[in-house]
Amino acid sequence: EVVLERGIAGACARAGRSDWANQIPVASGLIQGASDGRRAIDLVHRNSVRRFEFIELKIASDTPLYAAVELLGYASAWLLARADPPARPSVLLEAEHLDLRVLAPAPYYAPFDLKNLGATLNNSVRSLGERCGVSLSFGFDVLPGELSHSPLPDDATLLDLLSKRQPLHDGLRHG
């Protein structure tokens, strides 16, 4: 996972792109001594001026449910920070749309029936977003197989493949 995260960030940097970032801190160090003291969003993708994706990247660790819970925690922290923003402006906190995505290769999802969970989480975060004055969505996305193992392809191919990710279940992509 870390290799791919760094590969995406490096490919973007070499291409002069700033629409992708990796390891974005979330509430890091808020609780001293906590075993979970360092929290970071694996990838953040800026789709447009006020639309971002928080992406929890999984290759062979944890479960889709664990990844979904991580994303829900990040979204909760984001909503709290929006409600009481810091003095310093943040384009991320000014976003009007936030898409939460678990991104993993198809075999990662294979043991699980996630259609109902994905739909329920999407409906729930959409409802929460409406109450908070923002647009939220949730989905499980499939990482193209060529990106789930080393060596990674060249920069242009990597970024092209990344743009071709698809929802795990047709019809669940909203936004």
Side-chain angles (χ1 to χ4, degrees), residues 18-101:
S18 60
D19 55 327
W20 285 90
N22 69 319
Q23 291 297 304
I24 304 301
V26 176
S28 294
L30 280 181
I31 303 171
Q32 279 190 328
S35 63
D36 201 23
R38 186 182 184 290
R39 305 290 296 152
I41 304 166
D42 291 344
L43 294 165
V44 173
H45 180 219
R46 185 176 192 169
N47 290 317
S48 64
V49 173
R50 295 195 182 261
R51 182 177 210 127
F52 290 83
E53 290 176 287
F54 286 2
I55 299 170
E56 185 62 29
L57 182 64
K58 296 295 180 188
I59 302 294
S61 64
D62 305 315
T63 65
L65 178 59
Y66 183 87
V69 170
E70 284 185 295
L71 281 170
L72 295 173
Y74 300 150
S76 298
W78 180 79
L79 287 169
L80 288 170
R82 277 181 57 89
D84 186 20
R88 190 174 73 186
S90 165
V91 294
L92 188 56
L93 292 178
E94 294 169 1
E96 295 171 351
H97 306 276
L98 182 62
D99 301 308
L100 308 172
R101 297 291 181 258

Side-chain angles (χ1 to χ4, degrees), residues 17 20 45 144 147 156-166 173:
R17 291 176 51 175
W20 285 90
H45 180 219
L147 298 180
T157 303
L158 185 155
L159 295 173
D160 182 56
L161 286 168
L162 193 59
S163 72
K164 293 180 179 176
R165 58 202 159 97
Q166 295 292 316
R173 170 73 46 101

